[in-house]
Structures are given as C-alpha cells and as structure tokens.
Amino acid sequence: MALTIFILRLAVCILAFPMYLLDFLGLWNWICKKSLPYFLARFTVTYNKQMASKKQELFSNLQEFAGPSGKLSLLELGCGTGPNFKFYPPGCRVTCIDPNPNFEKFLIKSIAENRHLQFEHFLVAAGEDLHQVANDSMDVVVCTLVLCSVKNQERILQEVCRVLRPGGAFYFMEHVAAKPSTWNYFWQQVLNPVWYLLFDGCNLTRESWKVLEWARFSKVKLQHLQAPLSCKLLRPHIYGYAVK
C-alpha cells in the first residue's frame, strides 16, 4: 500500500510540475495569497449552505459564555471572508485575525451584511502569535477550517488558552483525516502533497481531534461527522467546543 501511494503521489506531483516550479521561483506563495480570498469567497457560500444546520447547532449556545456586561467578546482565528458572522448573536463584539491581509476587503463586505455585530478590529497575524490580544480578554475564540493549515497546532491552542478568560470557550469545526483503511484515507494520502501547495498549506491528513484532547481545557465536547459536502476528501469533520 505504501509503495502504491508513493507511485501515485509521484505521478500527481509530475502533473503539478508547473505549480512546483512557480513555488521554486518564489512566485507561488504570492499567487496563492492573492487568489485564495476569491476562491474562498465562492467556496464558503457553498460550504455554509451544506453545513448550515451544523453551524447553527455549534454556535447555538454562544451567548451563554457572555461576560457580566451581557455582551459577548469573540475572537475569530483565520476569519477569511467572514462566513461565520451570520451565526453569531446580536451585539457580539468581534475581533478578527488572519495572516493574509488580502481578506480585508471581503471582510468589509461581510461586516456590511451583518449589522447585528459590533466589529472591533481586523489584525493581520498568525494564530501562533496573538501578542496583540491581552490575556484573559475574550469570552469565546472561534476557529473553523483553520487547524488544517496552521504551522503549529499546539502553539495555537496555547495562545487560545491564554487569551480566553477563565470559563471561556473555544469553538471549532475542522475537516480531518478519514478513518485508516478507507478509500478516502488512501486518496487523502496520495493527494496531500499537491493539495498542501495548491491550497496554501491545507493538510488533508491531520488528526486534529488529538491535539484538542491533549490541550489544557477543563472540558472538551467533540463530535466526529461525515459532512454532507460535494468533495469526499473533506467530508470527515470534527466540531464542538472546549471550555478553559
């Protein structure tokens, strides 16, 4: 099986040679950072339609974590184009972080379409370094379709725990590796190297539930799901929340 995966990976990489050449020349990252927001603006519309019921279920109890003022302070990591905004409760104070500054104009559009929220800041930063956010300052941190592409999942969750107030919650929804010995897992293994380059560091084979279970949360409520998505490679999902 390992030899078959290697041979197929090699074949796929040969077909993707122009992309690897652009990466070698230092051009691909620029192209990817510029084009990804346009792709995600379309993809997230479809994703939200297919996952609407699960997102509504996931975010249904957000308001329970509001502070004494009754207003919810929420930090979204890897906010992208802002597809989660419509699921947040009215009056929610939202701070967004993304390492790609090219998402800002798409965020402005999403903010205009979601007047029920109070938008605080858009910070250009990686989730592994949230030094611009104070300790114990957030009621909730949200992260959807992000842990697949970060460089250091453990560091991300350390920062999440730092910025969350005691009793605050981390909400997540992520695509993950399929069960071993399935055809989906086989093709995830074959396509992952090219997928990683094509989609700006996205990994098909991460077992993100493990790092969540090992993190310093007092409670983790996590469910596995076969998402009703058109792309079979992305169907294995986890979602839930963890309390500091």
Side-chain angles (χ1 to χ4, degrees):
M1 182 67 73
L3 179 60
T4 304
I5 289 174
F6 174 78
I7 292 170
L8 288 172
R9 271 185 179 178
L10 183 60
V12 172
C13 288
I14 291 171
L15 291 172
F17 175 75
M19 189 168 60
Y20 280 97
L21 179 59
L22 288 171
D23 188 51
F24 176 76
L25 295 173
L27 299 174
W28 181 252
N29 185 62
W30 181 85
I31 293 170
C32 207
K33 288 288 189 289
K34 286 286 187 181
S35 61
L36 189 64
Y38 293 92
F39 168 76
L40 287 181
R42 299 176 65 89
F43 170 79
T44 52
V45 170
T46 303
Y47 184 87
N48 267 359
K49 287 179 181 178
Q50 295 172 331
M51 297 294 287
S53 63
K54 289 301 177 185
K55 281 197 173 186
Q56 288 165 355
E57 175 190 338
L58 174 65
F59 295 127
S60 62
N61 67 336
L62 274 176
Q63 192 60 39
E64 294 176 14
F65 292 97
S69 68
K71 284 199 171 185
L72 187 74
S73 292
L74 185 151
L75 173 67
E76 182 163 353
L77 303 181
C79 56
T81 59
N84 292 324
F85 289 175
K86 67 179 182 179
F87 298 101
Y88 296 158
C92 179
R93 295 179 298 199
V94 180
T95 299
C96 295
I97 286 186
D98 201 287
N100 188 345
N102 296 300
F103 278 115
E104 186 169 14
K105 69 176 183 180
F106 294 90
L107 273 179
I108 291 170
K109 181 175 182 292
S110 292
I111 291 163
E113 294 170 350
N114 291 277
R115 296 293 187 182
H116 66 291
L117 302 178
Q118 182 179 332
F119 183 72
E120 300 284 306
H121 306 287
F122 172 58
L123 306 174
V124 179
E128 290 91 342
D129 182 9
L130 303 178
H131 69 274
Q132 296 161 292
V133 184
N135 294 354
D136 304 328
S137 61
M138 293 292 164
D139 299 314
V140 166
V141 177
V142 173
C143 177
T144 61
L145 301 183
V146 171
L147 292 179
C148 58
S149 59
V150 299
K151 293 180 179 178
N152 189 325
Q153 291 182 322
E154 291 82 2
R155 179 62 184 158
I156 287 271
L157 295 182
Q158 287 173 5
E159 283 289 84
V160 167
C161 288
R162 181 183 65 79
V163 303
L164 275 176
R165 65 165 177 80
F170 174 58
Y171 283 74
F172 55 89
M173 178 176 283
E174 301 287 337
H175 72 84
V176 293
K179 290 182 179 179
S181 303
T182 62
W183 279 112
N184 204 1
Y185 182 80
F186 173 83
W187 286 110
Q188 284 180 336
Q189 296 289 325
V190 169
L191 296 173
N192 193 58
V194 170
W195 187 279
Y196 177 88
L197 190 59
L198 182 60
F199 294 109
D200 198 22
C202 178
N203 288 273
L204 291 170
T205 57
R206 283 192 172 170
E207 298 175 333
S208 299
W209 62 89
K210 292 182 178 179
V211 71
L212 285 161
E213 290 168 350
W214 294 337
R216 295 179 298 135
F217 293 110
S218 62
K219 171 187 173 184
V220 178
K221 185 177 180 182
L222 183 153
Q223 297 183 63
H224 287 260
L225 163 74
Q226 283 296 311
L229 303 177
S230 304
C231 179
K232 291 184 179 181
L233 294 170
L234 299 179
R235 286 181 183 175
H237 265 57
I238 57 170
Y239 72 110
Y241 65 92
V243 180
K244 179 177 175 182

